[in-house]
Amino acid sequence: MQVNNKTALFLLLSSSLFLAACGEKKTELGEGSSEVTGAAGPAGAKGASKTLVKCDAPVATLSLVENPNGYTMSSQYNLPSSPVPLIRLLAQQSGCFRVVDRASGLKAVIQEQELKDQGIIRKNSTVSKGKGYEAQYTITPSLTFSESKAGGGIGAIMGMIPFLRNFTGYAEKVSFKEAQVVLLLTDNETTEQLAAATGSAKTTDLGMGGLSFGAAGGGFGAGWSNTNEAKVIVAAFLDAHNKLVPQVRHLQEKEMPPAVPVKK
């Protein structure tokens, strides 16, 4: 039996209504709605998105900095925090760069050095001046567009179906969220902007218990906070990262500091 697009949408809406009505709560570790997920480190990239584009080897050291203009580009909602930590995870999982910290981790390093200078930390501490790695490149993220749009005629479509007619009130909660972002790559030696990439994502939010479907770039969006707006924005950053990697592959490798030894 062939199922057309409208029939598939009706089935998806009806099944989602049933799920929303169940009211069962369950917590599953590692099962959150996140497009940017997993880990990166000496053991390699673990649990990364299947859509993540990677490099065979790092070309340089990299820092990621906050956009000085922030990330609020819509009158309908404000984003509470920064996407930079998850973009740093993307950069490390891709293997294109070795990532250096220029945020809270750096502040902690400076604090340890100050404690040593004050005689609080042992003299033979492994923390000492002159061992830090320079950031040879910098990535600056920018949120250029984000918006939520009303569901439009979905309520009218549902009203034509006897089974779904009583649930048309839920259609008012349906919204289409979309975002566009940019990643800018700067050479810290020359200050030249060497590469730039845009990313975009769109998702349909049913508005019922946080259920959503259809994020561009694969999967069900990405989670940097508990809002669907933030999820689609991080999915857009994943899209921008994937478009930036082919540009990075054409960069000449720079001389990098020795890698931290790991267990074999």
Side-chain angles (χ1 to χ4, degrees), residues 3-245:
V3 179
N4 59 34
N5 292 337
K6 288 186 177 180
T7 302
L9 175 61
F10 297 153
L11 292 173
L12 181 58
L13 286 170
S14 59
S15 62
S16 299
L17 289 169
F18 278 124
L19 289 173
C22 290
E24 181 181 356
K25 294 183 178 179
K26 185 179 180 180
T27 300
E28 297 185 39
L29 298 181
E31 297 297 328
S33 58
S34 178
E35 185 72 28
V36 182
T37 186
K46 302 294 182 181
S49 170
K50 294 180 180 179
T51 64
L52 180 66
V53 179
K54 300 180 180 180
C55 296
D56 294 331
V59 298
T61 57
L62 173 77
S63 68
L64 289 101
V65 299
E66 298 288 359
N67 189 299
N69 298 321
Y71 305 97
T72 301
M73 293 296 293
S74 171
S75 60
Q76 296 192 14
Y77 51 84
N78 294 325
L79 300 175
S81 58
S82 164
V84 165
L86 286 184
I87 301 174
R88 288 170 61 183
L89 174 60
L90 283 175
Q92 192 165 4
Q93 285 180 329
S94 70
C96 297
F97 296 100
R98 289 172 57 187
V99 182
V100 296
D101 196 330
R102 292 297 181 264
S104 56
L106 176 61
K107 293 179 181 179
V109 172
I110 295 174
Q111 181 184 39
E112 292 301 305
Q113 184 60 58
E114 291 174 346
L115 291 174
K116 182 179 180 181
D117 293 342
Q118 294 171 10
I120 297 175
I121 292 180
R122 58 182 182 167
K123 293 182 179 180
N124 61 340
S125 168
T126 57
V127 177
S128 60
K129 294 180 180 179
K131 291 186 177 181
Y133 295 166
E134 71 278 13
Q136 296 164 323
Y137 291 100
T138 296
I139 282 183
T140 306
S142 177
L143 173 59
T144 61
F145 172 79
S146 60
E147 196 60 85
S148 294
K149 297 182 179 180
I154 291 182
I157 295 174
M158 293 174 63
M160 293 187 296
I161 305 172
F163 175 73
L164 297 178
R165 191 170 296 158
N166 296 330
F167 298 97
T168 54
Y170 282 108
E172 298 176 358
K173 299 181 180 180
V174 176
S175 61
F176 301 95
K177 298 177 175 64
E178 56 184 303
Q180 184 179 50
V181 301
V182 175
L183 292 178
L184 305 174
L185 180 67
T186 301
D187 188 331
N188 292 342
E189 181 180 354
T190 64
T191 74
E192 181 182 4
Q193 180 181 303
L194 293 181
T198 62
S200 60
K202 181 185 290 184
T203 187
T204 303
D205 177 19
L206 297 182
M208 295 167 288
L211 294 173
S212 63
F213 61 92
F220 286 80
W224 121 53
S225 74
N226 60 354
T227 66
N228 288 323
E229 289 84 0
K231 293 175 184 179
V232 74
I233 289 170
V234 175
F237 276 121
L238 173 60
D239 185 44
H241 173 275
N242 287 345
K243 294 174 181 176
L244 186 67
V245 168

